[in-house]
Amino acid sequence: MNFWFEMAINAVEVTLILSFLVQYFGYRMACPAKYIWTALFDVLSFGSVAFFSWGKLYEGYASLVQILINIVFCCILLRGSILQKIFVSAFTMGLVAIIATFTALLVAKLSGNNVTLLLSRFNSVRIISILITKLLFFVITRIILRVKENGKIKWLDVIPLAAIPTLSIITITLMMYAAIQEPHIQNIVFYAVCIVLALNILIYFLFVRLGQVSKIQTEMALLALQNECLQENAKDIENMYDTVRALRHDLKNHLLCILSMAEERDVEGIEQYTRQLLQRQNTVNKLIMFSGSKVLDAIINSKSAAAERAGVRLSAIITTPLAGISPEDITIILGNALDNAIRAAKDSQRKVVDIHIQPQGAYSSIVIANDIAHPVLSDNPALRTTKNIRYRHGFGIQNMRQAVERNQGLIRFYEQNDRFICDILLLNVQSRNE
């Protein structure tokens, strides 16, 4: 009975741990294979915990091994940054070890038992202690899920943050060993464990706070870049409408000139003059896009003007207005992608950028292709910024990925026939609700 109860509790524990990690980060894939992988890691975690339990070792040692299993599980299946995964994996197992020790000492204190007897005997008091441990872990992790933060944190911040829960596991193990060897210090060890538990909770809130500060800094840098982009777009639109106003202002003079040539029966002059007017009109038409989306039109028209100034030819084929995609995400995705494409095409030989936006099944497809002077991905596979002021740049690709992720989409970059291609799929609103 004792053996099967312990195995059942171990199974519940690893299930609670992996469930918490999944809810904290979320799956990175949508295919059913994620459940198979989760089940495999569940079995691996159960085997690790069962091994240490079978070997009569304190579960703190199993927690150290489980940290590594959690990190691998998160990196393979879950979203989020590697730094967050390292900290949350260490913090989770630190929490498991601390709660187990805290509960054992608390129940021993309240029941008047020796902690050694509590851990070695299978009775109703031990069953209650174990059930309280798992219930406390469940309740605390539910609270954590309500105050989680997904901001980016630096390596120098994560290393000490992750080290503290890991060292807490070792400290708790030594404390429990001391309490077992010297029962008269059991109360002192209990108070020390309470302090360690409080410190780890404070460490988590420090982790959340650092994430919030980092997120605010990133948003401020992004707003500064967006402000620069809006100023450039305003100038482009102003120039475009100045051209339209000039044509409208001169329309009367053009008609009078044509009428004069018609009275003189100068057919050849009329034809030549008309061709010149049509050529100027075509130049203006190239700057004006009517897709059915004001945001999409503004971006394409603005970037078309920017491409023309850079000596780049931009052509667009749009058969869907990207309905259901927020204006902010459209601006982030297309604005950054077209800026990068125009910048790269400027140095190429053909200087051409093509954009195709069209429905593709349950998704909206966005394909932006531009000529390149030399391969990009071979030298810079992560597409990191090459600008001098790095602290103010480098957010483009990162923000594009986040915007695509918010719309349950996919993004990939590849090169083909001396062209760099950004291929994006965004899930339609109707498909998200199904």
Side-chain angles (χ1 to χ4, degrees):
M1 180 65 181
N2 182 18
F3 172 79
W4 292 112
F5 178 78
E6 293 286 348
M7 292 301 101
I9 288 299
N10 290 339
V12 171
E13 178 180 297
V14 298
T15 301
L16 287 175
I17 292 170
L18 296 185
S19 173
F20 167 66
L21 294 175
V22 169
Q23 292 182 65
Y24 194 98
F25 293 108
Y27 283 112
R28 70 162 72 229
M29 57 180 72
C31 59
K34 63 186 179 184
Y35 301 113
I36 299 176
W37 278 100
T38 302
L40 291 175
F41 275 98
D42 205 331
V43 172
L44 178 62
S45 300
F46 173 78
S48 172
V49 175
F51 171 78
F52 285 98
S53 298
W54 183 263
K56 305 298 181 184
L57 295 175
Y58 183 62
E59 65 180 40
Y61 297 112
S63 298
L64 295 175
V65 176
Q66 188 63 38
I67 290 175
L68 299 177
I69 296 176
N70 289 348
I71 293 174
V72 175
F73 170 73
C74 291
C75 290
I76 293 176
L77 295 179
L78 306 183
R79 297 194 297 261
S81 70
I82 180 64
L83 301 182
Q84 286 180 313
K85 293 172 182 176
I86 291 173
F87 171 78
V88 175
S89 296
F91 174 78
T92 302
M93 298 317 302
L95 199 60
V96 169
I98 295 171
I99 291 176
T101 306
F102 170 80
T103 307
L105 292 170
L106 178 62
V107 172
K109 181 180 177 65
L110 295 177
S111 63
N113 291 322
N114 186 295
V115 70
T116 305
L117 297 177
L118 179 65
L119 295 175
S120 59
R121 293 182 180 179
F122 182 72
N123 52 32
S124 59
V125 177
R126 173 157 172 75
I127 292 175
I128 292 173
S129 174
I130 293 174
L131 294 178
I132 291 176
T133 298
K134 306 314 170 191
L135 180 61
L136 271 178
F137 177 76
F138 177 80
V139 171
I140 292 176
T141 52
R142 298 311 104 176
I143 295 173
I144 290 173
L145 288 174
R146 292 179 177 272
V147 292
K148 67 179 182 177
E149 177 57 50
N150 295 323
K152 302 294 182 180
I153 299 180
K154 300 177 182 178
W155 274 104
L156 293 178
D157 295 328
V158 168
I159 291 175
L161 288 177
I164 290 175
T166 305
L167 293 175
S168 296
I169 294 173
I170 300 173
T171 303
I172 288 294
T173 303
L174 296 175
M175 287 181 180
M176 180 59 78
Y177 180 78
I180 292 173
Q181 296 298 317
E182 303 290 342
H184 64 278
I185 66 169
Q186 183 172 305
N187 287 337
I188 298 176
V189 172
F190 172 73
Y191 296 133
V193 170
C194 291
I195 294 173
V196 174
L197 176 59
L199 287 175
N200 277 266
I201 293 175
L202 291 175
I203 284 297
Y204 177 76
F205 282 103
L206 177 60
F207 168 76
V208 171
R209 180 59 182 165
L210 287 174
Q212 292 173 343
V213 171
S214 176
K215 191 173 182 180
I216 291 173
Q217 291 175 342
T218 301
E219 289 176 351
M220 289 179 64
L222 178 59
L223 286 173
L225 293 177
Q226 287 179 338
N227 183 51
E228 292 179 5
C229 182
L230 287 173
Q231 291 179 356
E232 293 179 0
N233 291 350
K235 292 179 181 178
D236 294 336
I237 294 173
E238 184 178 356
N239 292 335
M240 180 181 68
Y241 283 106
D242 283 344
T243 304
V244 174
R245 282 196 214 99
L247 284 175
R248 181 178 179 182
H249 180 268
D250 294 338
L251 181 60
K252 180 179 179 180
N253 295 330
H254 294 317
L255 292 175
L256 289 174
C257 183
I258 292 173
L259 178 61
S260 175
M261 287 187 287
E263 291 175 349
E264 297 177 2
R265 301 188 182 278
D266 185 3
V267 178
E268 184 178 349
I270 293 175
E271 290 180 352
Q272 184 177 359
Y273 193 79
T274 305
R275 287 193 185 96
Q276 292 176 354
L277 290 179
L278 289 174
Q279 186 176 1
R280 291 184 60 186
Q281 185 66 32
N282 288 335
T283 301
V284 176
N285 286 339
K286 286 192 296 183
L287 301 177
I288 303 177
M289 171 65 64
F290 298 101
S291 65
S293 168
K294 294 180 179 179
V295 175
L296 190 55
D297 292 345
I299 295 173
I300 298 299
N301 292 332
S302 172
K303 299 307 176 185
S304 178
E308 186 175 12
R309 288 197 308 271
V312 175
R313 182 172 64 85
L314 188 149
S315 64
I317 299 177
I318 301 176
T319 58
T320 177
L322 298 178
I325 310 298
S326 70
E328 293 81 6
D329 287 342
I330 293 176
T331 302
I332 290 172
I333 294 171
L334 290 181
N336 285 295
L338 287 174
D339 283 342
N340 294 336
I342 293 170
R343 192 179 301 114
K346 181 180 178 181
D347 299 327
S348 67
Q349 184 175 0
R350 293 178 63 245
K351 304 182 187 299
V352 175
V353 174
D354 297 316
I355 175 170
H356 296 263
I357 302 177
Q358 57 191 3
Q360 184 173 320
Y363 292 84
S364 294
S365 170
I366 302 174
V367 179
I368 299 175
N370 60 272
D371 296 327
I372 50 178
H374 51 77
V376 177
L377 295 176
S378 58
D379 298 329
N380 187 11
L383 296 175
R384 301 185 185 278
T385 181
T386 56
K387 297 179 180 178
N388 295 329
I389 311 177
R390 290 180 178 269
Y391 75 92
R392 290 197 57 198
H393 298 283
F395 297 102
I397 299 297
Q398 171 185 322
N399 289 320
M400 285 175 61
R401 293 186 189 278
Q402 292 175 355
V404 170
E405 191 173 289
R406 281 194 295 271
N407 291 278
Q408 301 179 36
L410 301 169
I411 182 171
R412 66 177 181 133
F413 304 95
Y414 62 95
E415 295 173 3
Q416 186 177 17
N417 299 327
D418 296 327
R419 308 202 83 191
F420 183 89
I421 301 172
C422 173
D423 190 354
I424 300 171
L425 290 175
L426 302 177
L427 189 63
N428 294 330
V429 176
Q430 298 86 346
S431 302
R432 298 181 208 175
N433 297 329
E434 292 178 355

